[in-house]
Amino acid sequence: MPPESEAVHSGANKTMLGKLLMVAILMFGFGYALVPFYEKICELTGINVLTARERMDPAEARRFAQNTQVDLTRTVSVEFDANSHGPWSFRPKNNVIEVHPGELATVIYEIRNNQDAEVSGQAIPSYAPKQSAVHFKKLECFCFQQQVLKARETREFPVVFVIDPKLPDGIRNITLSYTFFQVGSAQPTL
């Protein structure tokens, strides 16, 4: 191959390498930017309301629960749902409870690890109707952090909540649905 041809190929290779590096950098930047973009879309649409925004400061939660008047003139039916993606059995102990806005309530969820290895999971809540989410105040919830279950372990987790009396009068039913996902494990699911 003549020396001029090698120089042309070498220059073309350097140009192509530069373009490929630029594409890789842009792809990384796009992937990095997707996280806040996804969170904003979820916030605006009410899909998979993220648990970090739901968590109340413990002192604020106590003040809210103590300062809230129970509205005995209204009753709200709260339905509980459980979905799982991973090696779990996941269900609420009660599917429906009736509460008065401002009343402190507790429901228990049962989670069982169905495999012979320890696994970690995270529950993500969602609400229906969407506008009820801001009025559903959780004081304690297993969804606030990842849960680790030993092999074949079954545990019960409480969800302690108050329905804010500012809930619009037209809302008589709320559905709280959790989806439990396996996270941070190299173990294959069975």
Side-chain angles (χ1 to χ4, degrees), residues 87-127:
W88 328 94
S89 295
F90 177 49
R91 68 180 185 85
K93 290 278 198 159
N94 294 322
N95 292 325
V96 179
I97 63 172
E98 302 286 326
V99 297
H100 298 289
E103 177 182 18
L104 190 63
T106 302
V107 68
I108 304 294
Y109 274 80
E110 182 181 87
I111 304 170
R112 175 173 165 64
N113 175 2
N114 293 324
Q115 69 179 13
D116 293 323
E118 182 177 275
V119 292
S120 296
Q122 177 75 48
I124 305 294
S126 59
Y127 304 88

Short mmCIF file of all heavy atoms in Angstrom, two decimals, residues 87-127:
data_model
loop_
_atom_site.label_atom_id
_atom_site.label_comp_id
_atom_site.label_asym_id
_atom_site.label_seq_id
_atom_site.Cartn_x
_atom_site.Cartn_y
_atom_site.Cartn_z
N PRO A 87 -39.24 -13.38 43.37
CA PRO A 87 -39.50 -14.64 44.06
C PRO A 87 -40.31 -14.47 45.34
O PRO A 87 -39.93 -14.95 46.41
CB PRO A 87 -38.09 -15.13 44.37
CG PRO A 87 -37.33 -13.86 44.62
CD PRO A 87 -37.88 -12.88 43.62
N TRP A 88 -41.43 -13.77 45.29
CA TRP A 88 -42.20 -13.45 46.48
C TRP A 88 -43.63 -13.97 46.44
O TRP A 88 -44.19 -14.12 45.38
CB TRP A 88 -42.36 -11.93 46.66
CG TRP A 88 -41.26 -11.09 46.18
CD1 TRP A 88 -41.16 -10.49 44.95
CD2 TRP A 88 -40.09 -10.73 46.87
NE1 TRP A 88 -40.01 -9.78 44.88
CE2 TRP A 88 -39.33 -9.92 46.04
CE3 TRP A 88 -39.63 -11.03 48.15
CZ2 TRP A 88 -38.12 -9.39 46.43
CZ3 TRP A 88 -38.42 -10.49 48.53
CH2 TRP A 88 -37.68 -9.69 47.67
N SER A 89 -44.19 -14.09 47.62
CA SER A 89 -45.64 -14.12 47.80
C SER A 89 -45.88 -12.83 48.57
O SER A 89 -45.24 -12.58 49.60
CB SER A 89 -46.08 -15.32 48.63
OG SER A 89 -45.80 -16.51 47.94
N PHE A 90 -46.81 -12.02 48.11
CA PHE A 90 -46.99 -10.68 48.66
C PHE A 90 -48.47 -10.37 48.68
O PHE A 90 -49.13 -10.47 47.66
CB PHE A 90 -46.21 -9.71 47.76
CG PHE A 90 -46.32 -8.26 48.12
CD1 PHE A 90 -46.12 -7.81 49.40
CD2 PHE A 90 -46.61 -7.33 47.13
CE1 PHE A 90 -46.20 -6.47 49.71
CE2 PHE A 90 -46.69 -5.98 47.42
CZ PHE A 90 -46.48 -5.55 48.71
N ARG A 91 -49.01 -10.03 49.89
CA ARG A 91 -50.44 -9.76 49.98
C ARG A 91 -50.75 -8.94 51.22
O ARG A 91 -50.04 -9.02 52.22
CB ARG A 91 -51.24 -11.05 50.00
CG ARG A 91 -51.03 -11.86 51.26
CD ARG A 91 -51.85 -13.15 51.26
NE ARG A 91 -51.72 -13.84 52.53
CZ ARG A 91 -52.45 -13.58 53.60
NH1 ARG A 91 -53.39 -12.67 53.56
NH2 ARG A 91 -52.28 -14.25 54.71
N PRO A 92 -51.85 -8.16 51.17
CA PRO A 92 -52.32 -7.48 52.38
C PRO A 92 -53.13 -8.46 53.22
O PRO A 92 -53.80 -9.34 52.68
CB PRO A 92 -53.19 -6.35 51.84
CG PRO A 92 -53.70 -6.88 50.53
CD PRO A 92 -52.62 -7.77 49.98
N LYS A 93 -53.08 -8.29 54.54
CA LYS A 93 -53.90 -9.14 55.42
C LYS A 93 -55.38 -8.77 55.29
O LYS A 93 -56.24 -9.62 55.40
CB LYS A 93 -53.47 -8.97 56.88
CG LYS A 93 -52.12 -9.58 57.17
CD LYS A 93 -52.27 -11.05 57.40
CE LYS A 93 -51.04 -11.57 58.10
NZ LYS A 93 -51.28 -12.81 58.77
N ASN A 94 -55.67 -7.48 55.06
CA ASN A 94 -57.03 -7.00 54.83
C ASN A 94 -57.06 -6.35 53.45
O ASN A 94 -56.20 -5.52 53.16
CB ASN A 94 -57.46 -5.95 55.86
CG ASN A 94 -57.56 -6.53 57.25
OD1 ASN A 94 -57.99 -7.65 57.42
ND2 ASN A 94 -57.14 -5.75 58.23
N ASN A 95 -58.04 -6.70 52.65
CA ASN A 95 -58.14 -6.10 51.32
C ASN A 95 -58.83 -4.74 51.33
O ASN A 95 -58.59 -3.92 50.46
CB ASN A 95 -58.88 -7.04 50.36
CG ASN A 95 -58.08 -8.28 50.08
OD1 ASN A 95 -56.86 -8.23 50.02
ND2 ASN A 95 -58.75 -9.41 49.93
N VAL A 96 -59.70 -4.50 52.32
CA VAL A 96 -60.45 -3.25 52.40
C VAL A 96 -60.64 -2.89 53.87
O VAL A 96 -60.94 -3.77 54.69
CB VAL A 96 -61.84 -3.37 51.74
CG1 VAL A 96 -62.61 -2.06 51.85
CG2 VAL A 96 -61.74 -3.80 50.29
N ILE A 97 -60.48 -1.60 54.18
CA ILE A 97 -60.87 -1.11 55.50
C ILE A 97 -61.61 0.21 55.32
O ILE A 97 -61.41 0.91 54.32
CB ILE A 97 -59.68 -0.94 56.48
CG1 ILE A 97 -58.69 0.12 55.99
CG2 ILE A 97 -58.99 -2.25 56.75
CD1 ILE A 97 -57.61 0.46 57.02
N GLU A 98 -62.46 0.53 56.27
CA GLU A 98 -63.20 1.80 56.27
C GLU A 98 -62.56 2.70 57.32
O GLU A 98 -62.35 2.27 58.46
CB GLU A 98 -64.67 1.56 56.63
CG GLU A 98 -65.40 0.58 55.71
CD GLU A 98 -65.71 1.19 54.35
OE1 GLU A 98 -65.98 2.39 54.29
OE2 GLU A 98 -65.68 0.44 53.36
N VAL A 99 -62.23 3.94 56.93
CA VAL A 99 -61.63 4.88 57.86
C VAL A 99 -62.32 6.24 57.75
O VAL A 99 -62.88 6.57 56.71
CB VAL A 99 -60.11 5.06 57.62
CG1 VAL A 99 -59.35 3.78 57.86
CG2 VAL A 99 -59.81 5.59 56.24
N HIS A 100 -62.24 7.00 58.83
CA HIS A 100 -62.69 8.38 58.82
C HIS A 100 -61.48 9.25 58.52
O HIS A 100 -60.39 8.98 59.03
CB HIS A 100 -63.27 8.78 60.18
CG HIS A 100 -64.47 8.00 60.59
ND1 HIS A 100 -65.70 8.15 59.99
CD2 HIS A 100 -64.63 7.05 61.54
CE1 HIS A 100 -66.56 7.35 60.55
NE2 HIS A 100 -65.94 6.65 61.51
N PRO A 101 -61.61 10.28 57.68
CA PRO A 101 -60.49 11.19 57.47
C PRO A 101 -59.98 11.74 58.82
O PRO A 101 -60.78 12.12 59.68
CB PRO A 101 -61.08 12.30 56.60
CG PRO A 101 -62.18 11.62 55.86
CD PRO A 101 -62.77 10.65 56.86
N GLY A 102 -58.66 11.71 59.00
CA GLY A 102 -58.05 12.16 60.24
C GLY A 102 -57.81 11.03 61.24
O GLY A 102 -57.11 11.20 62.23
N GLU A 103 -58.36 9.86 60.97
CA GLU A 103 -58.22 8.71 61.87
C GLU A 103 -56.94 7.95 61.54
O GLU A 103 -56.64 7.66 60.38
CB GLU A 103 -59.44 7.80 61.69
CG GLU A 103 -59.41 6.54 62.48
CD GLU A 103 -60.64 5.67 62.20
OE1 GLU A 103 -61.33 5.87 61.17
OE2 GLU A 103 -60.90 4.79 63.02
N LEU A 104 -56.16 7.60 62.56
CA LEU A 104 -54.94 6.81 62.39
C LEU A 104 -55.34 5.36 62.11
O LEU A 104 -56.17 4.79 62.83
CB LEU A 104 -54.09 6.89 63.66
CG LEU A 104 -52.69 6.32 63.60
CD1 LEU A 104 -51.85 7.10 62.59
CD2 LEU A 104 -52.03 6.39 64.97
N ALA A 105 -54.79 4.77 61.06
CA ALA A 105 -55.15 3.40 60.67
C ALA A 105 -53.89 2.61 60.35
O ALA A 105 -52.86 3.17 59.99
CB ALA A 105 -56.07 3.43 59.45
N THR A 106 -54.00 1.30 60.49
CA THR A 106 -52.88 0.40 60.21
C THR A 106 -53.39 -0.78 59.39
O THR A 106 -54.46 -1.33 59.68
CB THR A 106 -52.24 -0.13 61.51
OG1 THR A 106 -51.80 0.98 62.29
CG2 THR A 106 -51.06 -1.04 61.21
N VAL A 107 -52.62 -1.16 58.39
CA VAL A 107 -52.90 -2.38 57.63
C VAL A 107 -51.58 -3.15 57.55
O VAL A 107 -50.50 -2.55 57.55
CB VAL A 107 -53.48 -2.07 56.22
CG1 VAL A 107 -52.45 -1.40 55.34
CG2 VAL A 107 -54.02 -3.32 55.57
N ILE A 108 -51.67 -4.47 57.54
CA ILE A 108 -50.48 -5.32 57.53
C ILE A 108 -50.35 -6.00 56.17
O ILE A 108 -51.32 -6.54 55.64
CB ILE A 108 -50.57 -6.42 58.63
CG1 ILE A 108 -50.78 -5.79 60.02
CG2 ILE A 108 -49.34 -7.31 58.61
CD1 ILE A 108 -49.64 -4.96 60.53
N TYR A 109 -49.13 -5.97 55.64
CA TYR A 109 -48.80 -6.71 54.42
C TYR A 109 -47.88 -7.87 54.80
O TYR A 109 -47.01 -7.71 55.66
CB TYR A 109 -48.08 -5.83 53.41
CG TYR A 109 -49.00 -5.04 52.52
CD1 TYR A 109 -49.60 -3.88 52.95
CD2 TYR A 109 -49.28 -5.49 51.23
CE1 TYR A 109 -50.45 -3.15 52.13
CE2 TYR A 109 -50.13 -4.77 50.39
CZ TYR A 109 -50.71 -3.61 50.85
OH TYR A 109 -51.55 -2.91 50.04
N GLU A 110 -48.09 -9.02 54.16
CA GLU A 110 -47.26 -10.19 54.39
C GLU A 110 -46.41 -10.45 53.14
O GLU A 110 -46.94 -10.46 52.03
CB GLU A 110 -48.14 -11.41 54.67
CG GLU A 110 -47.35 -12.67 54.96
CD GLU A 110 -48.25 -13.85 55.22
OE1 GLU A 110 -48.64 -14.51 54.23
OE2 GLU A 110 -48.59 -14.09 56.39
N ILE A 111 -45.12 -10.64 53.37
CA ILE A 111 -44.20 -10.93 52.27
C ILE A 111 -43.45 -12.21 52.61
O ILE A 111 -42.92 -12.35 53.70
CB ILE A 111 -43.19 -9.78 52.07
CG1 ILE A 111 -43.93 -8.46 51.84
CG2 ILE A 111 -42.26 -10.08 50.90
CD1 ILE A 111 -43.04 -7.24 51.86
N ARG A 112 -43.43 -13.12 51.64
CA ARG A 112 -42.70 -14.38 51.82
C ARG A 112 -41.71 -14.54 50.69
O ARG A 112 -42.05 -14.41 49.50
CB ARG A 112 -43.66 -15.56 51.82
CG ARG A 112 -42.94 -16.91 51.87
CD ARG A 112 -43.89 -18.08 52.04
NE ARG A 112 -43.31 -19.38 51.76
CZ ARG A 112 -42.32 -19.95 52.42
NH1 ARG A 112 -41.76 -19.33 53.43
NH2 ARG A 112 -41.88 -21.14 52.09
N ASN A 113 -40.46 -14.85 51.05
CA ASN A 113 -39.41 -15.17 50.09
C ASN A 113 -39.56 -16.64 49.73
O ASN A 113 -39.43 -17.50 50.60
CB ASN A 113 -38.04 -14.88 50.70
CG ASN A 113 -36.89 -15.29 49.80
OD1 ASN A 113 -37.09 -15.76 48.68
ND2 ASN A 113 -35.68 -15.13 50.29
N ASN A 114 -39.85 -16.94 48.49
CA ASN A 114 -40.11 -18.33 48.07
C ASN A 114 -38.88 -19.06 47.54
O ASN A 114 -39.03 -20.15 46.99
CB ASN A 114 -41.19 -18.34 46.98
CG ASN A 114 -42.53 -17.89 47.53
OD1 ASN A 114 -42.88 -18.20 48.66
ND2 ASN A 114 -43.27 -17.16 46.73
N GLN A 115 -37.72 -18.49 47.69
CA GLN A 115 -36.54 -19.18 47.19
C GLN A 115 -35.57 -19.52 48.32
O GLN A 115 -35.75 -19.07 49.44
CB GLN A 115 -35.86 -18.41 46.06
CG GLN A 115 -35.19 -17.13 46.44
CD GLN A 115 -34.54 -16.49 45.22
OE1 GLN A 115 -34.79 -16.86 44.08
NE2 GLN A 115 -33.69 -15.52 45.46
N ASP A 116 -34.55 -20.30 48.00
CA ASP A 116 -33.60 -20.79 49.00
C ASP A 116 -32.39 -19.87 49.16
O ASP A 116 -31.34 -20.32 49.59
CB ASP A 116 -33.13 -22.20 48.62
CG ASP A 116 -34.25 -23.22 48.73
OD1 ASP A 116 -35.08 -23.08 49.66
OD2 ASP A 116 -34.32 -24.12 47.89
N ALA A 117 -32.53 -18.61 48.82
CA ALA A 117 -31.45 -17.64 48.97
C ALA A 117 -32.04 -16.32 49.47
O ALA A 117 -33.21 -16.02 49.25
CB ALA A 117 -30.75 -17.43 47.63
N GLU A 118 -31.21 -15.55 50.14
CA GLU A 118 -31.62 -14.23 50.62
C GLU A 118 -31.85 -13.31 49.43
O GLU A 118 -31.11 -13.36 48.45
CB GLU A 118 -30.51 -13.66 51.51
CG GLU A 118 -30.83 -12.33 52.12
CD GLU A 118 -29.72 -11.86 53.05
OE1 GLU A 118 -29.74 -12.26 54.23
OE2 GLU A 118 -28.84 -11.11 52.57
N VAL A 119 -32.89 -12.48 49.52
CA VAL A 119 -33.19 -11.53 48.45
C VAL A 119 -33.56 -10.17 49.04
O VAL A 119 -34.00 -10.08 50.17
CB VAL A 119 -34.33 -12.01 47.53
CG1 VAL A 119 -33.92 -13.21 46.71
CG2 VAL A 119 -35.58 -12.30 48.30
N SER A 120 -33.34 -9.14 48.23
CA SER A 120 -33.72 -7.77 48.61
C SER A 120 -34.81 -7.31 47.67
O SER A 120 -34.79 -7.63 46.48
CB SER A 120 -32.53 -6.83 48.47
OG SER A 120 -31.52 -7.18 49.36
N GLY A 121 -35.74 -6.52 48.21
CA GLY A 121 -36.84 -6.01 47.39
C GLY A 121 -37.23 -4.62 47.81
O GLY A 121 -36.90 -4.16 48.91
N GLN A 122 -37.94 -3.94 46.93
CA GLN A 122 -38.44 -2.59 47.19
C GLN A 122 -39.87 -2.52 46.70
O GLN A 122 -40.18 -2.95 45.60
CB GLN A 122 -37.59 -1.56 46.44
CG GLN A 122 -38.06 -0.14 46.57
CD GLN A 122 -37.75 0.47 47.93
OE1 GLN A 122 -36.65 0.36 48.42
NE2 GLN A 122 -38.75 1.09 48.54
N ALA A 123 -40.73 -1.96 47.54
CA ALA A 123 -42.14 -1.78 47.17
C ALA A 123 -42.34 -0.36 46.65
O ALA A 123 -41.83 0.59 47.23
CB ALA A 123 -43.04 -2.02 48.37
N ILE A 124 -43.07 -0.24 45.56
CA ILE A 124 -43.40 1.05 44.97
C ILE A 124 -44.93 1.20 45.03
O ILE A 124 -45.65 0.36 44.49
CB ILE A 124 -42.93 1.15 43.50
CG1 ILE A 124 -41.43 0.86 43.39
CG2 ILE A 124 -43.29 2.51 42.92
CD1 ILE A 124 -40.54 1.88 44.07
N PRO A 125 -45.41 2.27 45.68
CA PRO A 125 -46.86 2.45 45.79
C PRO A 125 -47.43 3.24 44.61
O PRO A 125 -46.73 4.02 43.96
CB PRO A 125 -47.01 3.25 47.08
CG PRO A 125 -45.77 4.07 47.13
CD PRO A 125 -44.69 3.23 46.51
N SER A 126 -48.70 3.05 44.38
CA SER A 126 -49.45 3.91 43.46
C SER A 126 -50.87 4.02 44.00
O SER A 126 -51.32 3.17 44.78
CB SER A 126 -49.43 3.37 42.03
OG SER A 126 -49.99 2.09 41.97
N TYR A 127 -51.55 5.10 43.62
CA TYR A 127 -52.85 5.42 44.18
C TYR A 127 -53.89 5.63 43.09
O TYR A 127 -53.58 6.12 42.02
CB TYR A 127 -52.78 6.72 45.00
CG TYR A 127 -51.74 6.69 46.08
CD1 TYR A 127 -50.43 7.06 45.82
CD2 TYR A 127 -52.07 6.27 47.35
CE1 TYR A 127 -49.47 7.03 46.81
CE2 TYR A 127 -51.11 6.24 48.35
CZ TYR A 127 -49.81 6.62 48.07
OH TYR A 127 -48.87 6.57 49.05
#
